[in-house]
Structure formats: structure tokens, C-alpha cells
Amino acid sequence: MTKSFALEAEQLGKAYRVYPRPLRRIGEWLSGGRYKGHHEFWALRGIDLALKPGASLGLCGANGAGKSTLLKVLSGTTAPSAGRYRVNGRVASLLELGAGFHLDFTGRANIVLNGVMMGFSRRELEKKTPEIIEFAELGAYIDEPVRTYSSGMGLRLGFAIAATVDPDVLIIDEVFAVGDMYFQKKCVDRIYQFKKRNKTIVFCSHSLYDVRQFCDQALWLERGEPRAIGDSVYVTNEYASYQRHHITAVEEAVRSQHPPVPESQRGRPADMPSILDARIYRLGTDEECYEVKSGDSLEIRVWWRNPRPALTPIQIGIVFMRGDMTLCGGQATHFQDVRLTGTSGCLVLKAPELGLLAGQFLIPAILFDDAGVHRYQEFMMPQNLHVRSHTREVGLFRLDLAFEQRELAPPAARAPVPAAPGP
Amino acid sequence: MTLEEEPLLAPPMGAWITPRPARGLEVLQRLVGLPKLVSGHRDLVLTTLKRDLSARFQGTLLGWAWPILQPLLLFAIYYFIFTRFLGQRMPALPESQQAGMGVYMFCAMISWGALGESLGRGTSVIVDNGNLIKKLAFPSELLPLNVVLASLVMMLFGVAIFIAVCFTSVWPRPGLALAWIPLIVVLQGLFTYGIVLFLTTLHVFLRDTAQVVGMVTTVWMFLTPVFWVPELLSAGPGGASVEQHMGLIHANPAYHLVSAWRGALMGDVSLTLESGVLTPVSVAAIPGHLGVFALWALGAYVLGYAFFVHSQRRFADEV
């Protein structure tokens, strides 16, 4: 392969034709294109992409912003209406888990059927069938008709097939939103491995955290047009701050950054890691407190349990989030190389002379997998932290700022600065 | 990386994909490239064909006995009911060909059955598989191909049953004319595929198509000499002469198809009547019938596939 890009797109666009009634279409045919009976709805416009092998691109944006449409065009299920794109290598797309299963056939037969649909050879699939079965953890069910599967089982099989065949470009549409916690974790691990092997990934997610963790680059779409593209941290921050300024979008931001942890732990093995409790104390004392002044010293204690540390190593992160979802700061064990060994323990985060200015802060403790990618659990403190300040400083943090007056002449005129390449 | 190593993707890997619909040279390439496409996707074609066939009998008590039983029962109906019970005969049949009328109908029925079934199921195949088309990128022309191939396989069961039946005293054993069968099957497949491609594309954009196709197919069957012998027609309604009838009948591609089948399976049947000798079935006429039918098949394929290829890229948006 001498081609430098795995995936390229130039001014890619997609329009859907909308016919108010079927007769208009006939009119169009009969008039030989002179009469236009439809109007066009542009779901996507002006997308430029260039992804090298090994790159990963995350798509973010509100519902209906064109994320799924872009994935559909890139995976080849629908043709573009403007611009052009090309893919160097084999593509596997996971636009919907389990698309193309034949219900009357066994899981084993469906592996081959589904795989050859994606363009992989039967021989290749038969070789990989044991691996797929093992990943899907269907056991004896693999030889039962898919009709008898629960929706979760069908889903596991679908993901196992797409993840095990060996494409060069993997296109995934919001798959982490499904399945139980345990299987989600497996999916995340598999995609991580995939990335390590220098394969290209394009995926969309409502979880900005996922986009940030998985992707080097991100594309923010709004009403089908690119708002920002570039480094994933930069783009997701832009997107998050945009959302904050739009009251209607705020609710979505809350939901996407903090998907509700399911109340019932149904389907989750009892020996998965969990956070038992978390509270805030004055530093070095046992006095629990949630109303503090700027500059007070605090510590946050998190009690955790992990019955199988060898199998499911964990990391814990604690973040400070203002009421309007501004992420003010945070720390995690995987950032500081703290190892959480043993089957249970209490982790303490010390915050001497808290620099936060007045406000109300949410402080979730997040239980991660080893890589800090998958969230097992998000634990909210019993109360929000109220910080009062006695100075008139503005902003989020108290920075070390001080004034001084000097006798200096004004500087010489500056040469014009070239405009920074903006999004 | 050469193209030969990667035969699986329809557009060559790494080629720019643009909004321009396929036309002209590109369509021609696709028309000629079908065998290559099919051989590149032979796993998909064979797997779905097997799936399609076994899905018919999955869960039935008799399972794979059905494809053998079905034509056997069909033959029994035409032989016992039409020939023996109702006494439907052609006049002046030779002694060994007493079952002539029943066999005459049966031979056309197995061929027409495949054609009719393909049209019926194939017209809606793209729309019915909308979920696949929208979610998976694969050459969608393989879906109608699958329908056509499945019906041809079922037809061949019927052919095999007929040949087996000829080892009893019901009908003389067929001879070398059987060698025509592979060519007939290929041409029938091409013809059917072309029509199905056209209809299934039309159905994506105009959902009335399937309704109309059902009715038209029935009418077409009765207009085709499946249950009647054109040579034995007397002057028709409005005083049209037999020659005029024959002119119309010859314009029907299905007539040439069933006639070729009958020649290959039944051998020669000649009736010595007062007005002269009639040969409703003859081996010698096979090349003539096939020649005409081959033109029809080629035309149907070119037209149907071109229409399909031109519209293919809009399927996912419409189903």
C-alpha cells in the first residue's frame, strides 16, 4: 500500500429527494428531467476528510446533525450527492448490530451469512468462527436458531462478527449505547486493540468522553455541515462550550456526558467492580462537610470493591463540575499511576487550599477500567459542594494574580499577525 | 495490490466514489462484468442460495423430500386428472404417446413455474430486503439473482423428475435432445433475470408494480400455450385465421421458451390429421425457438440491468 490515506473525502454531501406524492415522480420521468417534482433535503454538505491509516475520527453533534448519514455514505450503503470520497482497504461497518440475520438459521450459519454479505470469504469466516463464538459468549446457543435469542445475544453475535473479520477501516454507529456493562467493556477493549493495529476507525457517539478517549480527531457536525474539525480534545471542548450556551442543548449535554447508570444491576455479574460510597471531609479530619469557603482544605474519600482485581483492574477518577456542566478540574488514578490493588479499599483525594471560587459543584467519582476508557460506574456524592468566596475575584478559580504600577513607555507598533487557521 | 486479489468490491478499491450515476461505458462494463462479479461473490451467492432453498423447507415435516414430491404431484395431476380422468387428448396421437396432452402441459408448467415464481418474488426483493440495503454495502443485484437461481434450481428438480418418470411406460425416453437443456436453462435465467431486475427497480420507486405484476403474469400465462396447443386452434374470435394467431403467438418470448423445453424433453410429437401433419412438438424446431428467445433474453438482460445499474445508488434512500 503506497497510498497515504486510508480514507479521503472532498466536499462530500448527501441530499435526500422528497416527493410529496408518487405521481410527481412519474411526472419527472415523463418530462425527461425538465419538470422537477421533488425538493431536496441536504442531510450533509461540504465534508472534507483525510485520515491516515491508524487514525481515528469521532463524530459529534446533536441528533439529526448528519452523523449517521456521513457514516452511511462512507460505508457505501448510500451514494453521495455531491463531492467524492475514497477508501483504501476493506471496510466493515456496524451501522446496526445484527442487520441481516436470518432468524430461522442457527447462530453459526448466520456468522457465515453475515460475513459474506460484508464481502469476506467463506473460508476466512470459517477460520474465524471459533473466535467469533468465543467472543460472543453464546455457548450452546450458537447452534440454536437466532429466533430464540434474546436481543442482547443477537447484538453480541453481530458485534463479534464485525469486530473479528479483519477490515482496514471500521465504521461504527453508536454501538456503546447498547448491551450490558460487561459486554460494553468487551467491545471497548476490542476496538482499542483494533486501533493499536494501525487500523482506521470512524465512529459517532453522543458521549464526548468516548470521542475524546478513542479518537485523535473529531468532527463536529451541525445541520449537516462541519462546524469544527481537528484534534478531538479541541473539537469536543468547542462542542461542549457551544452546547452550554444553548439552553435547549444543555439537556442533551447532560445526558450525553452522563448517561444514566442503570438502577438495576441486572445482567451484571455480582463480582464486577463497584464504588460503595464516597464523601467529602475537611482535610485530615472526620468532619463531613459540603459547605466550604474558597481556600479551605478538603479530602474526598471513595470506598471501592473489586472482587477480581486480576481480571478487572480498575482506575478511579474524581471530577469537579460546575452546575452548568463546566468541567473545572479532575484527577484520576491512571493519570498519576496510582495502582488500586486488592479486592477493596478506600481511595483519598486530597485537595489542600481549594482554588475554586463561588459556585455549586457536582463531584462524581467514576470507576474506570484499566485503560480509563470504559466507565463501570459513576457515583455521585450525597450532596453538591457549595463554595463561598469572600473576595470579589471573578471566574472559576482563584489564580495567583496581583497588580503593580510602573513607569514604562508604550511599545513599538506590532507587525500584523497572520490569521490562525480556524475551523 | 492488484484488482485480481480483491475481486469482492464492485468499484475497484481506492477509486473515487462520486455522485454521478452510472451511464454509458460504465453500464456496459457492469453488463459484461456480471460473471466476474458473481464469481467474486460466489460465497455470498451460494450461501444465500442455500439459505433460500433450505428456508422453504425448514420446519416442514418432509423437509428436502418436498422439492421431489412437488413436481411428482404436479405430474400426477396432469397425467391422471387431465389425461386419464378428464380425457384431455390431442387427436391422432401415436400409441406410445397417449399421455401427450398431460406431458405437454407438464413440460411447460415446470418452466413457466420458474418464470412466474421469479417475477412474483423478485419484483419486491429489493424493497423486502430494505434493511439489508440500508445497513450493509454489498452488490444488490445479487438479491434478484438469488431469486432467479432458486427458481431455476427448483425447476431442475422438476426436469429430473420428468426424466425419471420417462423410465416408466408413461412416455418414451427422451434422447439426445436433452443436450439442449443447459443452454435453455442459461437463456431462461438471463431472460428472467433481466425482467426481474427491471421490475424490482421499478418497484422501488413505484410500489404499485408488484400489484400489477401479479395480474399481468396470470394473463401472460394464459396467453402462452401452456394449457393449449396453438397448432390445433381453429379460426379464432373475430374470424382471425390460424396464421394470424400464430403471428401473435410467435411474438411471445415465453412461447419460444416452452416450445424449446417441450422439444428437449418430449422429443417429436406429430399428429396426422385429415388437413395434414401437425408437429406441435419437435426437436428440429429447438434451434429456431432458442434463437428467437436468445434475442429476447439478451434484450431483457441489457435493458433490465442497465435500468437497475442506473438507479441502484438511490435504493438505500428509497426503501
Side-chain angles (χ1 to χ4, degrees), chain A residues 10 14 16-17 25 75 77-81 83-89 96 100 102 105 113 117 119 121-122, chain B residues 8 13-19 43-44 47 51 54 58 132 134-138 205 313-314 316-318:
Chain A
E10 289 173 5
K14 174 76 193 173
Y16 289 101
R17 291 185 186 181
R25 195 195 299 272
S75 66
T77 58
T78 184
S81 312
R84 56 182 194 165
Y85 76 96
R86 68 175 166 188
V87 180
N88 292 313
E96 187 178 277
H102 196 286
F105 287 87
L113 205 57
M117 276 277 178
S121 79
R122 170 184 283 271
Chain B
L8 294 177
M13 190 173 284
W16 285 107
I17 294 168
T18 64
D43 281 340
L44 176 56
T47 313
R51 176 192 91 165
S54 52
Q58 190 106 44
L132 282 185
K134 273 191 280 197
K135 301 292 178 193
L136 284 173
F138 69 102
F205 301 108
R313 49 182 44 230
R314 300 229 320 268
D317 305 343
E318 301 280 351

Side-chain angles (χ1 to χ4, degrees), chain A residues 203-386:
Chain A
F203 94 113
C204 90
S205 177
H206 280 290
S207 164
L208 296 185
Y209 182 84
D210 285 342
V211 171
R212 233 173 275 179
Q213 286 294 313
F214 272 123
C215 304
D216 335 310
Q217 295 174 59
L219 170 62
W220 164 19
L221 287 171
E222 191 183 76
R223 293 203 196 95
E225 288 176 39
R227 266 292 285 259
I229 182 164
D231 175 66
S232 62
V233 175
Y234 164 74
V235 172
T236 50
N237 279 338
E238 286 288 299
Y239 177 54
S241 73
Y242 162 84
Q243 278 184 318
R244 277 195 292 279
H245 291 108
H246 288 252
I247 293 160
T248 47
V250 162
E251 280 170 22
E252 163 138 10
V254 175
R255 251 186 295 119
S256 66
Q257 292 205 338
H258 296 276
V261 175
E263 279 299 316
S264 62
Q265 301 290 309
R266 196 155 36 89
R268 180 173 157 195
D271 45 7
M272 293 298 277
S274 61
I275 289 177
L276 303 172
D277 205 348
R279 284 157 199 240
I280 305 175
Y281 298 85
R282 289 206 179 277
L283 186 69
T285 71
D286 279 335
E287 185 201 335
E288 219 176 319
C289 77
Y290 297 97
E291 305 242 342
V292 299
K293 295 195 301 288
S294 268
D296 284 0
S297 296
L298 302 175
E299 65 181 50
I300 297 169
R301 300 180 191 166
V302 179
W303 287 270
W304 53 269
R305 200 175 79 91
N306 186 12
R308 299 180 303 175
L311 231 67
T312 54
I314 53 165
Q315 307 281 2
I316 289 176
I318 295 169
V319 292
F320 291 77
M321 199 164 280
R322 203 166 63 180
D324 64 357
M325 291 300 148
T326 305
L327 182 60
C328 308
Q331 192 52 272
T333 50
H334 48 293
F335 296 158
Q336 294 198 330
D337 281 333
V338 177
R339 309 295 307 170
L340 295 172
T341 52
T343 55
S344 67
C346 176
L347 177 73
V348 180
L349 176 71
K350 290 190 276 189
E353 296 175 14
L354 191 68
L356 289 169
L357 289 176
Q360 200 185 130
F361 297 88
L362 281 79
I363 306 182
I366 305 165
L367 187 64
F368 289 104
D369 69 354
D370 200 30
V373 172
H374 177 70
R375 282 162 291 180
Y376 287 115
Q377 194 185 353
E378 225 165 292
F379 192 94
M380 284 305 203
M381 298 289 156
Q383 290 177 40
N384 293 346
L385 184 71
H386 288 263

Side-chain angles (χ1 to χ4, degrees), chain B residues 70-76 78-79 100-112 158-159 161-163 226-227 262 265:
Chain B
Q70 260 167 0
L72 213 54
L73 287 172
L74 193 70
F75 186 82
Y78 287 114
Y79 179 65
M101 195 61 203
V103 173
Y104 183 86
M105 291 182 191
F106 178 81
C107 289
M109 239 355 252
I110 48 177
S111 154
W112 180 271
V159 172
I161 289 296
F162 177 77
I163 294 172
V226 173
F227 298 114
R262 282 178 177 138
L265 290 174

Side-chain angles (χ1 to χ4, degrees), chain B residues 31-100:
Chain B
L31 282 169
V32 179
L34 183 74
K36 198 179 159 203
L37 178 77
V38 172
S39 80
H41 283 84
R42 59 189 175 278
D43 281 340
L44 176 56
V45 173
L46 289 177
T47 313
T48 46
L49 181 61
K50 229 163 78 184
R51 176 192 91 165
D52 196 88
L53 290 174
S54 52
R56 295 174 189 221
F57 310 113
Q58 190 106 44
T60 60
L61 198 62
L62 297 175
W64 275 95
W66 271 117
I68 297 171
L69 270 176
Q70 260 167 0
L72 213 54
L73 287 172
L74 193 70
F75 186 82
I77 290 167
Y78 287 114
Y79 179 65
F80 288 105
I81 300 189
F82 281 89
T83 313
R84 289 291 166 90
F85 186 65
L86 293 176
Q88 294 255 319
R89 305 258 164 110
M90 291 182 217
L93 275 171
E95 190 58 37
S96 63
Q97 297 181 337
Q98 280 306 302

Side-chain angles (χ1 to χ4, degrees), chain B residues 124-183:
Chain B
S124 59
V125 72
I126 295 288
V127 172
D128 291 345
N129 287 287
N131 200 29
L132 282 185
I133 306 258
K134 273 191 280 197
K135 301 292 178 193
L136 284 173
F138 69 102
S140 48
E141 54 263 57
L142 297 180
L143 287 174
L145 181 69
N146 183 36
V147 170
V148 173
L149 289 180
S151 72
L152 289 181
V153 169
M154 294 305 290
M155 176 181 78
L156 289 176
F157 274 105
V159 172
I161 289 296
F162 177 77
I163 294 172
V165 163
C166 290
F167 282 86
T168 69
S169 59
V170 170
W171 192 257
R173 286 182 207 176
L176 277 177
L178 285 181
W180 285 105
I181 288 181
L183 182 61

